[in-house]
């Protein structure tokens, strides 16, 4: 089982930036996907971005394209989410998750980190 720990959340003004980190430990995989999801207050959890273990191949939700960048450092078992030009609607708890190759869905969720964007 892989353990994921997110960090880097906080309170920022609209237009500002934050960088989230997700460190994996335990049984990590050298394949598959690592993704970021978020859950805004009172709403369902939604997809934000994902990246392949190779680092080649990323996908983003339309709402964050051009503002967020996902990257990874496999030597550190860490995936990052650089968030620029933040908007109040980006306020949410952000989670990372692992999807091993061949798995049907993401699993091994972290505990989440709160991002609050003030207007």
């Amino acid at each position: 089982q892989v353990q994921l720990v997110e960090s880097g959340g906080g309170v920022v003004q609209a237009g500002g930036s934050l960088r989230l980190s997700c460190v994996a430990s335990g049984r990590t995989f050298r394949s598959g996907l690592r993704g970021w999801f978020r859950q805004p207050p009172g709403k369902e959890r939604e997809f934000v971005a994902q990246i392949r273990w190779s680092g080649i191949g990323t996908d983003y939700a339309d709402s964050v394209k051009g503002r967020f960048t996902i990257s990874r450092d496999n030597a550190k078992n860490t995936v990052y989410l650089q968030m620029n030009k933040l908007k109040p609607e980006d306020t949410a708890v952000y989670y990372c998750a692992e999807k091993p190759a061949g798995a049907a869905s993401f699993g091994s969720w972290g505990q989440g980190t709160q991002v609050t964007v003030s207007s």
Side-chain angles (χ1 to χ4, degrees):
Q1 185 76 9
V2 62
Q3 290 81 44
L4 301 173
V5 178
E6 304 96 334
S7 63
V11 180
V12 63
Q13 288 190 330
S17 300
L18 283 174
R19 189 177 81 155
L20 306 183
S21 299
C22 173
V23 181
S25 61
R27 186 179 179 182
T28 56
F29 296 94
R30 298 173 67 83
S31 61
L33 299 168
R34 186 85 63 84
W36 284 99
F37 295 74
R38 67 186 182 187
Q39 187 165 17
K43 297 184 179 180
E44 297 291 317
R45 187 161 56 192
E46 62 187 24
F47 168 78
V48 176
Q50 66 184 19
I51 187 168
R52 290 169 177 74
W53 184 86
S54 66
I56 300 173
T58 57
D59 299 290
Y60 296 92
D62 288 343
S63 59
V64 306
K65 280 181 181 176
R67 300 188 297 123
F68 292 10
T69 302
I70 189 170
S71 62
R72 65 188 305 156
D73 183 338
N74 289 335
K76 297 181 179 179
N77 286 326
T78 301
V79 171
Y80 304 98
L81 186 68
Q82 178 67 44
M83 305 187 296
N84 298 328
K85 300 178 182 179
L86 283 161
K87 305 175 181 179
E89 52 263 45
D90 294 318
T91 294
V93 179
Y94 284 71
Y95 300 89
C96 70
E98 190 94 1
K99 183 182 178 185
S105 60
F106 280 89
S108 303
W109 296 86
Q111 84 290 347
T113 185
Q114 176 71 47
V115 171
T116 302
V117 185
S118 61
S119 57

